[in-house]
Amino acid sequence: MKGMGCEGTRAGASPRLSPAYWRLWWATGVNAAGDGVFAAAVPLLAVTITRDPRLVSVVSAAMYLPWLLLSLPAGALVDRYDRVGLMWRAQALQAVIAGAIAVLAASGRLDIPMLAIMTFALGVCTVVSATAAQAIMPDIVAAPLLHTANGHQQTITTLGSQFLGPPIGSLLFAVAVALPFGMDAASFALSAALLAVLPGCGRRRGEHPPMRTAIADGLRWLVRHRLLRTLAVLLGVNTFCGHLGNATLVLLATRTLGLDARGYGLLLAGAAAGSLLGGLAGARVVSRAGELPALLTGLAVNVVVFIGIGLSPNAIVLGTLLAVNGFVVTLWNIVTVSLRQQAVPSGMLGRVNGVYKMLGWGLIPLGALAGGLVAHALGLRAPYLVAGVLRGIVLLAAVSALRRCRTA
């Protein structure tokens, strides 16, 4: 039964977040801090190797390409095997890969192809661990608390990956190029250790169809669910636009606005303040405004924000707009993740999430590459302006489609 948890819930007891959830929360926080360190350091490392925005965007695209290539089989694996075991093993492998990046960076032997390959490998592991993490939530959290639990997850993820990690990563990079990647490896190792003692739900019960059949079942389920299908397509377009702009953000900040490595890290930390506020207040906003108004408002704000970023005269304006963007993106995540966890049967959640993420995140590498090409051809401000216009067009089509879904 969804929401009862691997550890169980006492009959008649008020639903509350279980100890298993809080262990997952701590592991998420540690991992997120390492991700933030890596997110700030890897573009800085790429810029030391090349100044070509097209090559910088290749590194960004490599991290997300696995969502396009491997989301479907990863979702089937998550529905077939112990989700906790998949999570900690994937993160243990990430610790090894991040450690290898640190060694190669220290020796000065990294080039763009090698960096892209290793970030791709990290992305493969992320696909598995992130898909399992979302799928396991209904197993350890009662259904009425999913918005709250996902809000807490968004808060700690934002705190680590955007608020604490980036300034630490940029500061460490300024000291020694290998330090942030060594810290990322340590965070993966610690997170894997925390997850390894989390009570597992064991191998998923029942007979499992062949992988191809299992993947097809997840695809059919999502295609038949009008609301989730619409949100997946909408997410795909928005993530394409988001990374069309963000892929060359480091160049906009350092070359156009004149920030150094420390300033870039502080810019990302300032932007994270909005995401952190979204994680803390998101569930309350959704309960008062409603899910559909919250989603549509966030989409409208993002259109204005992206055009504003493209026109930013200085780092203060840029950081403020990034903070607003972080708030509405976090709000979107809280609503849409909770909708999937409530609507999809537990035994199908991994596969449906895999299909959803393939549609929603599969266009990220294409957006990143497009951003590099647009920046090379039209200038470093152009990607955000193009992305803002595209988001505005999509919003006009999305309004009526989402309203029909919610009234159907």
Side-chain angles (χ1 to χ4, degrees):
M1 181 176 179
K2 292 178 73 174
M4 296 304 289
C6 302
E7 294 183 337
T9 301
R10 292 178 300 169
S14 299
R16 59 188 179 86
L17 295 174
S18 66
Y21 168 78
W22 289 112
R23 283 192 285 273
L24 174 64
W25 183 85
W26 277 107
T28 300
V30 171
N31 183 33
D35 286 344
V37 169
F38 184 85
V42 74
L44 293 172
L45 177 59
V47 168
T48 65
I49 301 172
T50 179
R51 290 283 180 172
D52 189 329
R54 294 169 296 182
L55 295 178
V56 173
S57 69
V58 166
V59 177
S60 177
M63 175 64 80
Y64 293 97
L65 185 59
W67 288 105
L68 176 63
L69 302 180
L70 301 173
S71 290
L72 297 182
L77 288 174
V78 166
D79 283 342
R80 190 176 297 246
Y81 298 106
D82 174 23
R83 291 165 177 171
V84 173
L86 289 173
M87 290 166 63
W88 77 257
R89 287 179 174 88
Q91 293 195 0
L93 180 56
Q94 285 177 303
V96 175
I97 296 170
I101 293 176
V103 172
L104 291 172
S107 64
R109 288 183 287 178
L110 265 180
D111 55 20
I112 289 296
M114 291 175 63
L115 184 58
I117 290 170
M118 300 187 86
T119 54
F120 176 84
L122 287 172
V124 171
C125 298
T126 297
V127 170
V128 175
S129 61
T131 302
Q134 286 193 355
I136 201 175
M137 194 71 73
D139 292 332
I140 60 177
V141 174
L145 294 178
L146 281 174
H147 277 121
T148 300
N150 285 317
H152 289 329
Q153 288 291 101
Q154 288 293 320
T155 299
I156 193 63
T157 298
T158 299
L159 186 63
S161 66
Q162 299 183 41
F163 199 75
L164 295 177
I168 294 174
S170 60
L171 288 172
L172 290 176
F173 187 88
V175 174
V177 67
L179 281 179
F181 303 103
M183 182 174 179
D184 190 31
S187 75
F188 280 129
L190 180 55
S191 178
L194 289 169
L195 291 171
V197 298
L198 187 71
C201 298
R203 185 183 177 95
R204 312 308 292 177
R205 295 178 180 177
E207 295 184 1
H208 299 287
M211 287 287 288
R212 183 177 298 179
T213 302
I215 291 171
D217 289 343
L219 180 60
R220 280 193 295 268
W221 196 100
L222 182 63
V223 168
R224 291 170 182 169
H225 197 286
R226 181 183 294 180
L227 175 59
L228 295 186
R229 180 185 70 222
T230 302
L231 291 176
V233 173
L234 186 57
L235 176 63
V237 176
N238 283 329
T239 54
F240 173 88
C241 292
H243 283 265
L244 191 156
N246 290 332
T248 53
L249 174 62
V250 64
L251 294 174
L252 175 64
T254 58
R255 291 174 57 180
T256 302
L257 300 182
L259 295 178
D260 58 12
R262 294 183 181 183
Y264 178 68
L266 292 175
L267 176 71
L268 297 182
S275 299
L276 181 61
L277 181 60
L280 293 171
R284 195 172 303 171
V285 170
V286 173
S287 66
R288 292 185 178 180
E291 292 174 337
L292 181 58
L295 288 178
L296 292 177
T297 300
L299 293 173
V301 170
N302 260 331
V303 173
V304 177
V305 163
F306 265 57
I307 293 175
I309 290 174
L311 300 175
S312 295
N314 54 55
I316 294 176
V317 173
L318 176 59
T320 301
L321 291 171
L322 289 172
V324 175
N325 178 70
F327 181 90
V328 294
V329 168
T330 301
L331 192 64
W332 163 280
N333 288 337
I334 291 172
V335 173
T336 56
V337 170
S338 298
L339 281 173
R340 293 202 306 277
Q341 290 168 345
Q342 291 171 331
V344 183
S346 180
M348 290 285 294
L349 192 51
R351 282 167 286 173
V352 174
N353 271 340
V355 178
Y356 185 95
K357 288 296 184 68
M358 184 198 71
L359 295 174
W361 287 27
L363 293 180
I364 287 178
L366 300 180
L369 293 173
L373 294 173
V374 171
H376 178 76
L378 303 176
L380 295 175
R381 295 183 181 274
Y384 279 103
L385 297 174
V386 173
V389 172
L390 289 177
R391 281 190 160 189
I393 295 171
V394 171
L395 175 60
L396 294 177
V399 171
S400 58
L402 286 174
R403 284 177 175 171
R404 286 197 302 268
C405 289
R406 295 305 285 170
T407 57

